Amino acid sequence: MEKIIIKTPEQIEGIRKSSKLAARTLTYIKQFVKEGVSTELLDQKIEEFVRSHGAVPATLGYNGYPKSSCISLNEIVCHGIPSPKTILKNGDILNIDVTTILDGYYGDTSRMYTVGEVSPVAQQLIETTEHCLNLGIQQVIPDNYFGNIGFVIDRYARAKGYSVVYEYCGHGVGIYFHEAPQVDHSARRNSGPRMRPGMTFTIEPMINQGKPGTFVDEKDGWTARTVDNKLSAQFEHTILVTETGYEILSEVDREE
Ligand code: MF3
Ligand code: CO
Ligand code: CO
């Protein structure tokens, strides 16, 4: 198996800066998330903001991906491609996922946004998904097993009547966009490798209202949707394993 990179303090500082820029981009974009706005416009604002801070959007040209962010509405699980044809409407829920390359270091984070009045069902899915991410983060402590992240996420999502997407996972991040290990959001207790100080990776659970299955749009080769057309939500952070626990590298003050 591919080795998990232990980052040096200098690398960690670089990944922290990049992650915080990605997070600040997500905070910045919130003001533009409104009924009638296209996801293309959001993507342009994201690209502008990232570049004006000396960074590059990592998704642009990544395996042929055409845009600076992923914007996934409603039944789209992940990898929604921003488009002038996708116009936000009242009641939509969406995930915006930004990955930055700053001084060569990668930071990867995503959040949910709502447009106008959303249904209580959608609101509850969003809250549950954010809690799933937080439960996963609380498992980050030296010597714990990566599998315990997925174990607690899956247990909580199921208890709420939801399902966990197993076809897309979290991942090591920092020096490259996607590094070892694969971070499953549904896993057996005490399975997988163990966490060590200096590891950096994402936790990014996608939680479905209905069935866990997804399928990729044949036309664009990216957009992943729920098989039953029901809603999906996702939150993502870049996390560092410290000597005593974790640091959320992609966390910024909400006021920022
Ligand atoms: N940011 C996504 C992740 O969390 C990856 C997007 S890859 C892309 O891993 F090519 F679809 F942009
Ligand atoms: Co990621
Ligand atoms: Co991401």
Side-chain angles (χ1 to χ4, degrees):
M1 262 220 304
E2 211 187 324
K3 269 187 102 182
I4 304 175
I5 305 169
I6 304 290
K7 277 79 177 185
T8 66
E10 186 192 337
Q11 289 170 332
I12 289 167
E13 183 53 21
I15 299 163
R16 184 184 287 114
K17 284 201 174 115
S18 190
S19 299
K20 294 209 187 301
L21 175 59
R24 283 168 55 215
T25 309
L26 294 182
T27 301
Y28 163 78
I29 203 63
K30 190 169 193 304
Q31 62 189 303
F32 301 106
V33 177
K34 285 195 184 110
E35 193 174 351
V37 165
S38 73
T39 56
E40 170 84 6
L41 180 98
L42 298 178
D43 189 71
Q44 285 168 358
K45 295 282 180 195
I46 287 166
E47 176 165 14
E48 217 174 84
F49 188 87
V50 168
R51 289 196 190 278
S52 72
H53 289 82
V56 181
T59 55
L60 204 54
Y62 177 77
N63 291 335
Y65 187 83
K67 296 288 176 179
S68 298
S69 62
C70 295
I71 306 186
S72 305
L73 273 64
N74 303 320
E75 78 287 355
I76 300 180
V77 174
C78 63
H79 303 165
I81 305 177
S83 160
K85 288 192 236 161
T86 307
I87 311 290
L88 301 184
K89 57 181 196 307
N90 186 50
D92 281 343
I93 64 168
L94 57 149
N95 173 278
I96 303 183
D97 191 336
V98 171
T99 311
T100 46
I101 313 174
L102 180 64
D103 299 328
Y105 298 108
Y106 289 75
D108 188 6
T109 181
S110 80
R111 295 180 198 159
M112 294 300 292
Y113 301 78
T114 57
V115 183
E117 293 261 316
V118 309
S119 70
V121 170
Q123 196 57 51
Q124 209 217 23
L125 177 66
I126 291 173
E127 280 164 24
T128 302
T129 305
E130 188 161 29
H131 192 62
C132 282
L133 171 57
N134 290 332
L135 287 174
I137 291 171
Q138 285 162 25
Q139 289 299 315
V140 178
I141 180 159
D143 302 331
N144 196 10
Y145 294 91
F146 274 94
N148 288 335
I149 294 171
F151 178 75
V152 298
I153 289 173
D154 190 70
R155 185 176 57 181
Y156 184 74
R158 281 173 195 269
K160 291 284 175 182
Y162 299 131
S163 62
V164 176
V165 172
Y166 54 85
E167 291 163 302
Y168 298 91
C169 304
H171 50 92
V173 69
I175 309 296
Y176 305 99
F177 196 163
H178 292 103
E179 306 173 356
Q182 176 175 312
V183 180
D184 295 326
H185 302 114
S186 175
R188 278 178 302 114
R189 182 177 254 163
N190 295 348
S191 64
R194 287 175 189 252
M195 301 171 201
R196 308 291 183 205
M199 290 182 177
T200 53
F201 54 89
T202 73
I203 305 177
E204 51 181 297
M206 285 142 274
I207 307 298
N208 290 356
Q209 185 191 2
K211 296 189 173 116
T214 70
F215 71 100
V216 173
D217 189 305
E218 280 177 22
K219 279 182 236 131
D220 67 27
W222 285 102
T223 312
R225 292 191 175 77
T226 55
V227 281
D228 55 11
N229 221 38
K230 292 193 176 173
L231 296 175
S232 185
Q234 179 179 28
F235 284 85
E236 173 176 28
H237 269 311
T238 294
I239 310 293
L240 165 72
V241 186
T242 65
E243 294 295 332
T244 54
Y246 63 82
E247 179 185 336
I248 304 174
L249 297 180
S250 53
E251 184 131 280
V252 283
D253 293 343
R254 289 281 164 174
E255 302 309 306
E256 228 181 299

